[in-house]
Amino acid sequence: MAEVVSYMSSFEVTAVDPYAATPTFVQRHSAVVAAFAVFAFTVVLTVLAYPPFKTPEFAYACLVPAIFWAYTRPALKLYAWTMFAAQAVAWIILLGWLRHVTWAGWLFTGSLVGAWVGVWFLAVWWAMPRMLGRLTPVRLVGMLGLAGVWVLVEWTRTWLLGGFPWLPLAASQWTMVSMLQIAAYTGAYGISFVVVAVNIGFAAYAHRLFREGATGLNKRSQEFFLALFLVLACFSLHVTETFKRGQFSTPLANVAFVQPYIPQTIKWDPANGPGILQVLEKTTMTAAGLFPDLILWPEAVTPWAVRGNDDVRGFVEALARRARTPLLLGSIAIENAGKPDEQWFNGAFIVSPEFGLAPGYYAKRHLVPFGEYVPLRPIFGWMKKFVPIGDDFMRGLDSAPIVTRLRNQSVVIGPLICYEDIFPNLARASALAGSDVLAVVTNDAWYGEGGAAYQHAAHSVLRAVETRRPVLRCGNAGWSGWIDEFGTVRFTVLDEGESVYFRGAQAVEVSRDSRWISRQSFYAEHGDWFILATAAVAGLGALMLSQSTPKKGDDSV
């Protein structure tokens, strides 16, 4: 009988409640809908956080959707693919200016950087669910550990695969001077650390309110309070560092910036060389009419090498005499011209009215792969570099500061060429070598009139704060201007329409903060100590989250 009952029960049909609510599309596909929403919000908030957009506040929310989603324990495969895709799309958009040089390189680089940054979200997926129900100290260390992992990912971008640390999260804050001052102690990594911590704090607070059903005082989120404390610490540092700084202002020089705006399509065509020299002559004499103490030209501005071509050397020396002003310019140096051991350098040179072209010069230390040289020649020997002159450029071996006389005093200038200002170690080395001022000469005309110039300038702001050195910046088409020791943009070369993209020359009276003359910042003296500290915190956080036992209902402060 029992066998019969068992056999009959196999045919039983589960009763269906005709009054039960039908699941909505969102309910039936909740995982996919969540992934799409996180993808969309992450892309939009990430792009808007960075220049050229003027909404740095979005940087404090661009990671929140992914962090909040991780609390819900989504499938690893879905989460990973969503975040890698979101970061790839965001970075392809942010690096959109690269398409003017190479479409394939643009799509590849954007995807690569996106995947690189996306690695951090794997740590988020692992850590956030493990924070639920943990004691407050465990959660806070885990939070700081995740911020530390972000810093470690950014640090690897400075050296891995040759290095491309374009747009660290700190660069989103380039106009938020109150958040920048911590960089004088930790490097720009400290700014990124705080911004990530705020994102985690917001996500934790949102989870407490909307998913944990907390009421009353239990709504408090200690992660949010810690993030708030870090922001207030940055604000406090800003007040103490910049309070009454006007009384410490010391005049340095009147500096003129020359933007010749030579289109990249004609820059290296010998037929256009005489016309380029005419543009340089006209804009430089316009600058001379402003009676500056120093005139800046951008990177590789002459159509032929200033060192290695006697005609070009004679041209710039004569122009300096007519302007009665020293010229700091970017150009090419050819050593041992016409010999088997001929070498080309992308350099910065000083030309004085009295003595002409100085024998010493600065040679660019970090060259652009496939632009100034082809890496791994035995493998990629068939490829040509984008700059259509000479063979592979050679890199400089030291910071080689340039000394010039300005207002009867010797001023040491630390040049940085092209994208060298995105590498913190290069600016730090220049400061340690005795530079009073950092000078960035660059040519962003390669990348059109999009966001490249503003994104690039954001790095100069970070280098100014890290080293406590004024930065003078001159671009072929823009961005040109002066940034003070505290990261405040004191002057930008603009036309009547408030655009940085134009041909012309303007001058400004540049000053220094006397408290930082011949004095090094903490970061310049001690380097990347913060990297070691964040690595230790990240390791401790992972250890605590993997070993501690959840304690339900913990709301301790």
Side-chain angles (χ1 to χ4, degrees):
M1 186 65 180
E3 294 179 358
V4 174
V5 172
S6 176
Y7 176 77
M8 294 297 295
S9 64
S10 64
F11 292 95
E12 291 182 1
V13 179
T14 304
V16 177
D17 185 354
Y19 299 101
T22 303
T24 64
F25 176 86
V26 173
Q27 291 172 332
R28 295 196 307 272
H29 306 280
S30 59
V32 175
V33 171
F36 180 81
V38 170
F39 171 88
F41 277 111
T42 299
V43 170
V44 173
L45 293 174
T46 299
V47 172
L48 293 179
Y50 289 101
F53 299 102
K54 300 178 181 180
T55 50
E57 297 83 4
F58 284 126
Y60 297 93
C62 65
L63 308 177
V64 171
I67 299 171
F68 185 86
W69 188 30
Y71 271 121
T72 65
R73 296 181 174 87
L76 174 59
K77 186 176 181 180
L78 177 63
Y79 186 85
W81 277 110
T82 300
M83 299 321 302
F84 282 133
Q87 290 300 309
V89 171
W91 279 95
I92 287 173
I93 295 172
L94 287 169
L95 300 180
W97 44 266
L98 196 56
R99 72 187 186 279
H100 294 287
V101 179
T102 164
W103 280 82
W106 164 47
L107 297 174
F108 174 78
T109 303
S111 300
L112 177 62
V113 176
W116 207 329
V117 175
V119 170
W120 180 76
F121 293 95
L122 299 181
V124 172
W125 178 87
W126 180 86
M128 298 313 296
R130 286 172 169 80
M131 289 192 188
L132 294 174
R134 302 299 174 111
L135 294 170
T136 297
V138 175
R139 301 200 316 273
L140 296 185
V141 173
M143 166 186 170
L144 297 178
L146 278 177
V149 172
W150 180 279
V151 169
L152 294 175
V153 171
E154 286 195 342
W155 172 67
T156 62
R157 290 176 57 201
T158 66
W159 55 269
L160 193 60
L161 299 179
F164 186 62
W166 190 270
L167 290 185
L169 193 55
S172 68
Q173 303 301 293
W174 76 300
T175 58
M176 305 282 284
V177 181
S178 57
M179 289 296 298
L180 297 177
Q181 306 315 310
I182 192 176
Y185 299 89
T186 64
Y189 303 115
I191 304 171
S192 297
F193 183 90
V194 173
V195 174
V196 173
V198 172
N199 275 269
I200 298 173
F202 277 134
Y205 206 172
H207 190 271
R208 178 67 62 91
L209 292 177
F210 301 119
R211 292 191 64 87
E212 296 180 25
T215 59
L217 293 178
N218 289 334
K219 292 181 179 180
R220 296 172 299 172
S221 169
Q222 286 71 41
E223 293 91 335
F224 177 77
F225 288 147
L226 177 56
L228 185 61
F229 170 79
L230 294 175
V231 172
L232 292 176
C234 291
F235 286 172
S236 299
L237 189 60
H238 168 69
V239 173
T240 57
E241 291 280 339
T242 63
F243 184 66
K244 293 184 178 180
R245 64 178 177 176
Q247 64 183 349
F248 300 104
S249 179
T250 302
L252 175 63
N254 187 284
V255 178
F257 304 85
V258 170
Q259 287 190 178
Y261 204 164
I262 307 300
Q264 204 58 41
T265 53
I266 69 170
K267 184 175 179 63
W268 300 116
D269 185 350
N272 292 299
I276 293 174
L277 294 181
Q278 290 178 3
V279 171
L280 289 173
E281 180 181 12
K282 181 178 180 180
T283 51
T284 300
M285 294 313 298
T286 299
L290 303 173
F291 305 103
D293 302 298
L294 177 69
I295 297 176
L296 263 62
W297 285 4
E299 173 195 9
V301 66
T302 57
W304 299 284
V306 74
R307 185 179 177 89
N309 186 305
D310 292 337
D311 292 336
V312 175
R313 175 174 179 166
F315 169 79
V316 297
E317 290 180 338
L319 197 54
R321 287 193 297 270
R322 289 176 58 193
R324 299 180 180 180
T325 308
L327 298 177
L328 178 64
L329 68 144
S331 187
I332 305 301
I334 305 176
E335 301 291 351
N336 305 319
K339 298 180 181 179
D341 58 346
E342 178 179 282
Q343 294 180 321
W344 289 56
F345 295 90
N346 189 353
F349 307 80
I350 192 74
V351 182
S352 70
E354 301 85 3
F355 306 107
L357 180 67
Y361 61 94
Y362 169 78
K364 187 178 180 183
R365 289 167 282 173
H366 201 112
L367 303 176
V368 179
F370 300 104
E372 294 166 311
Y373 76 104
V374 176
L376 302 174
R377 267 291 179 189
I379 300 175
F380 299 111
W382 53 273
M383 297 186 66
K384 293 184 178 180
K385 58 189 179 66
F386 296 130
V387 179
I389 58 169
D391 204 343
D392 283 355
F393 282 74
M394 305 298 293
R395 68 180 187 89
L397 301 178
D398 56 50
S399 55
I402 292 174
V403 182
T404 189
R405 298 284 295 179
L406 299 177
R407 294 185 177 176
N408 298 319
Q409 62 176 331
S410 294
V411 176
V412 183
I413 300 174
L416 298 168
I417 298 177
C418 187
Y419 80 152
E420 285 191 314
D421 60 337
I422 75 175
F423 296 93
N425 61 307
L426 298 182
R428 175 175 173 256
S430 294
L432 291 175
S435 298
D436 301 306
V437 180
L438 300 178
V440 179
V441 292
T442 187
N443 176 22
D444 288 331
W446 286 93
Y447 311 118
E449 297 185 356
Y454 291 96
Q455 292 177 5
H456 195 178
H459 299 83
S460 289
V461 169
L462 300 178
R463 304 294 86 85
V465 180
E466 287 174 341
T467 61
R468 292 301 192 205
R469 295 292 183 267
V471 175
L472 304 176
R473 203 170 187 286
C474 187
N476 175 28
W479 191 101
S480 301
W482 161 39
I483 304 161
D484 70 16
E485 298 92 332
F486 301 96
T488 301
V489 176
R490 301 288 292 274
F491 176 74
T492 307
V493 177
L494 299 171
D495 66 5
E496 296 83 357
E498 299 294 305
S499 173
V500 301
Y501 301 107
F502 73 103
R503 175 179 295 169
Q506 295 179 12
V508 64
E509 190 72 24
V510 176
S511 61
R512 289 190 288 177
D513 191 299
S514 60
R515 294 170 294 178
W516 290 103
I517 296 177
S518 300
R519 176 188 169 195
Q520 299 293 346
S521 69
F522 186 90
Y523 174 73
E525 288 184 336
H526 300 281
D528 291 331
W529 65 272
F530 193 65
I531 298 298
L532 296 175
T534 54
V537 173
L540 179 61
L543 182 64
M544 294 178 68
L545 287 175
S546 62
Q547 292 186 350
S548 61
T549 304
K551 182 180 179 180
K552 299 297 183 181
D554 171 54
D555 298 302
S556 58
V557 179

